[in-house]
Amino acid sequence: MKKNGKKKLAAVLACLLAALFIVQVPAQAASSVSCSKLYDAVKGKCNKGAEKVSKKSKCTFLSYSYRKSVEDFYYATDSSQVYCVCIVKAGSTSDAKDIKKEFDSIKKEKKSDSYLKKDEKKLVKDARCGRSGSYVWYICLGSKSDNKKAEKALKKAL
């Protein structure tokens, strides 16, 4: 009987380990979403604001020191840099935390820019900054509710 019990226990442990491995695979696959696909999710929820922005080739939203730690990004803005979407995939979660602090700082600075009109300052005030794992974003596509919808769509796509 002792040999049967050990075999059953070994089989149960093997099944548990296999189940743990299977559960982890989808979580790892989700972390490799491209920033342009995330932007597509944002655009789907906020068409009016997204129509006002166009894709930029360089992530000038971030200073050079932060750009070194970026693996992937999507950056789109209008000519006055009020309407803006910047989605960044950092090299690590600690880099992402630093970039999130930079985005918060940029948002704070933009709210007090003297070249912005009163209605533009309101738009910037309602902008959304966030982080999930190694992804960081800054979204300013119109009203507070539109920005929240866009952020929710982005989180869902992650």
Side-chain angles (χ1 to χ4, degrees), residues 9-42:
L9 181 61
V12 168
L13 286 175
C15 288
L16 285 173
L17 288 173
L20 285 173
F21 177 74
I22 291 170
V23 169
Q24 284 183 333
V25 171
Q28 291 171 351
S31 67
S32 63
V33 179
S34 76
C35 291
S36 62
K37 289 198 186 267
L38 293 174
Y39 175 73
D40 290 341
V42 167

Coordinates of all heavy atoms in Angstrom, one line a residue, residues 9-42:
L9 N 0.7 10.2 -4.9 CA 1.2 11.5 -4.5 C 2.0 12.1 -5.5 O 1.9 13.3 -5.9 CB 1.9 11.4 -3.1 CG 2.5 12.7 -2.6 CD1 1.3 13.7 -2.3 CD2 3.3 12.5 -1.3
A10 N 2.9 11.4 -6.1 CA 3.8 11.9 -7.2 C 3.0 12.3 -8.4 O 3.3 13.3 -9.0 CB 4.8 10.8 -7.6
A11 N 1.9 11.5 -8.7 CA 1.1 11.9 -9.9 C 0.3 13.2 -9.6 O 0.2 14.1 -10.5 CB 0.1 10.8 -10.1
V12 N -0.1 13.4 -8.4 CA -0.9 14.6 -8.0 C 0.1 15.8 -8.1 O -0.3 16.9 -8.6 CB -1.5 14.5 -6.6 CG1 -2.0 15.8 -6.1 CG2 -2.6 13.5 -6.7
L13 N 1.3 15.6 -7.6 CA 2.3 16.7 -7.6 C 2.6 17.1 -9.1 O 2.8 18.2 -9.4 CB 3.5 16.4 -6.8 CG 3.4 16.4 -5.3 CD1 4.6 15.9 -4.7 CD2 3.1 17.8 -4.8
A14 N 2.8 16.1 -9.9 CA 3.1 16.3 -11.3 C 2.0 17.1 -12.0 O 2.2 18.0 -12.8 CB 3.4 15.0 -12.0
C15 N 0.8 16.7 -11.7 CA -0.4 17.4 -12.3 C -0.4 18.9 -11.8 O -0.7 19.8 -12.6 CB -1.7 16.7 -11.9 SG -1.9 15.1 -12.8
L16 N -0.2 19.1 -10.5 CA -0.2 20.5 -10.0 C 0.9 21.3 -10.7 O 0.7 22.5 -11.0 CB 0.0 20.5 -8.5 CG -1.2 20.0 -7.7 CD1 -0.8 19.9 -6.2 CD2 -2.3 21.1 -7.8
L17 N 2.1 20.8 -10.8 CA 3.2 21.5 -11.5 C 2.9 21.8 -12.9 O 3.1 22.9 -13.4 CB 4.5 20.7 -11.4 CG 5.2 20.7 -10.0 CD1 6.4 19.7 -10.0 CD2 5.6 22.1 -9.6
A18 N 2.3 20.9 -13.6 CA 1.9 21.1 -15.0 C 0.8 22.2 -15.1 O 0.8 23.0 -16.0 CB 1.4 19.8 -15.6
A19 N -0.1 22.2 -14.2 CA -1.2 23.2 -14.1 C -0.6 24.6 -13.9 O -1.0 25.6 -14.5 CB -2.2 22.8 -13.1
L20 N 0.4 24.7 -13.0 CA 1.0 26.0 -12.7 C 1.7 26.5 -13.9 O 1.7 27.7 -14.2 CB 2.0 25.8 -11.5 CG 1.4 25.7 -10.1 CD1 2.4 25.4 -9.1 CD2 0.6 27.0 -9.8
F21 N 2.4 25.6 -14.7 CA 3.1 26.0 -15.9 C 2.1 26.5 -16.9 O 2.3 27.5 -17.6 CB 3.9 24.8 -16.4 CG 4.6 25.2 -17.7 CD1 5.7 26.0 -17.7 CD2 4.1 24.7 -18.9 CE1 6.4 26.3 -18.9 CE2 4.8 25.0 -20.1 CZ 5.9 25.8 -20.1
I22 N 1.0 25.8 -17.1 CA 0.0 26.2 -18.1 C -0.6 27.6 -17.7 O -0.8 28.4 -18.6 CB -1.1 25.1 -18.2 CG1 -0.5 23.9 -18.9 CG2 -2.3 25.6 -19.0 CD1 -1.4 22.7 -18.8
V23 N -0.8 27.8 -16.5 CA -1.4 29.1 -16.0 C -0.5 30.3 -16.3 O -0.9 31.3 -16.6 CB -1.9 29.0 -14.5 CG1 -2.2 30.4 -14.0 CG2 -3.0 28.0 -14.4
Q24 N 0.8 30.0 -16.1 CA 1.8 31.1 -16.3 C 2.0 31.5 -17.8 O 2.3 32.6 -18.1 CB 3.1 30.7 -15.7 CG 3.1 30.8 -14.2 CD 4.5 30.5 -13.6 OE1 5.2 29.8 -14.2 NE2 4.7 31.1 -12.4
V25 N 1.9 30.6 -18.7 CA 2.1 30.9 -20.1 C 1.3 32.0 -20.6 O 1.8 33.0 -21.2 CB 2.0 29.6 -21.0 CG1 2.1 29.9 -22.4 CG2 3.1 28.6 -20.6
P26 N 0.0 32.1 -20.4 CA -0.8 33.2 -21.0 C -0.4 34.6 -20.3 O -0.4 35.6 -21.0 CB -2.3 32.9 -20.6 CG -2.3 31.4 -20.4 CD -0.9 31.1 -19.9
A27 N 0.0 34.6 -19.1 CA 0.4 35.8 -18.4 C 1.7 36.3 -19.1 O 1.8 37.5 -19.3 CB 0.6 35.6 -16.9
Q28 N 2.6 35.5 -19.5 CA 3.8 35.9 -20.1 C 3.5 36.4 -21.6 O 4.1 37.4 -22.0 CB 4.8 34.8 -20.2 CG 5.4 34.4 -18.8 CD 6.2 33.2 -18.8 OE1 6.3 32.5 -19.8 NE2 6.9 32.9 -17.7
A29 N 2.6 35.8 -22.2 CA 2.3 36.2 -23.6 C 1.7 37.6 -23.6 O 1.9 38.4 -24.5 CB 1.3 35.2 -24.2
A30 N 0.9 37.9 -22.6 CA 0.2 39.2 -22.5 C 1.2 40.4 -22.4 O 0.9 41.5 -22.8 CB -0.8 39.3 -21.4
S31 N 2.4 40.1 -21.8 CA 3.3 41.2 -21.6 C 4.1 41.6 -22.9 O 4.8 42.6 -22.8 CB 4.4 40.7 -20.5 OG 5.2 39.7 -21.1
S32 N 3.8 41.0 -24.0 CA 4.5 41.4 -25.2 C 3.6 42.1 -26.2 O 3.8 42.0 -27.4 CB 5.2 40.1 -25.8 OG 4.1 39.2 -26.2
V33 N 2.7 42.8 -25.7 CA 1.8 43.6 -26.6 C 2.5 44.8 -27.1 O 3.1 45.5 -26.3 CB 0.5 44.0 -25.8 CG1 -0.4 44.8 -26.7 CG2 -0.2 42.8 -25.3
S34 N 2.4 45.1 -28.4 CA 3.1 46.2 -29.0 C 2.4 47.5 -28.6 O 1.1 47.5 -28.4 CB 3.2 46.1 -30.5 OG 2.0 46.4 -31.1
C35 N 3.1 48.6 -28.5 CA 2.5 49.8 -28.1 C 1.5 50.4 -29.2 O 0.6 51.0 -28.8 CB 3.6 50.9 -27.8 SG 4.5 50.5 -26.3
S36 N 1.8 50.1 -30.4 CA 0.9 50.5 -31.5 C -0.4 49.8 -31.4 O -1.5 50.4 -31.7 CB 1.5 50.4 -32.9 OG 1.8 49.0 -33.1
K37 N -0.4 48.5 -31.0 CA -1.7 47.8 -30.8 C -2.5 48.4 -29.6 O -3.7 48.4 -29.6 CB -1.4 46.3 -30.6 CG -1.0 45.6 -31.9 CD -1.2 44.1 -31.8 CE -0.6 43.5 -33.0 NZ -1.5 43.2 -34.1
L38 N -1.7 48.8 -28.6 CA -2.4 49.4 -27.4 C -3.0 50.7 -27.9 O -4.1 51.1 -27.4 CB -1.4 49.6 -26.3 CG -0.9 48.4 -25.6 CD1 0.2 48.7 -24.6 CD2 -2.0 47.6 -25.0
Y39 N -2.3 51.5 -28.7 CA -2.9 52.7 -29.2 C -4.2 52.5 -30.0 O -5.1 53.2 -29.9 CB -1.9 53.5 -30.1 CG -2.5 54.7 -30.7 CD1 -2.8 55.8 -29.9 CD2 -2.9 54.8 -32.0 CE1 -3.4 57.0 -30.5 CE2 -3.5 55.9 -32.6 CZ -3.7 57.0 -31.8 OH -4.4 58.1 -32.3
D40 N -4.2 51.4 -30.8 CA -5.4 51.0 -31.5 C -6.6 50.8 -30.6 O -7.7 51.2 -30.9 CB -5.2 49.8 -32.4 CG -4.2 50.1 -33.6 OD1 -4.1 51.2 -33.9 OD2 -3.7 49.1 -34.1
A41 N -6.3 50.2 -29.4 CA -7.4 50.0 -28.4 C -7.9 51.4 -27.9 O -9.1 51.6 -27.7 CB -6.9 49.1 -27.3
V42 N -6.9 52.3 -27.7 CA -7.3 53.6 -27.2 C -8.1 54.4 -28.2 O -9.1 55.0 -27.9 CB -6.0 54.4 -26.8 CG1 -6.3 55.9 -26.6 CG2 -5.3 53.8 -25.6

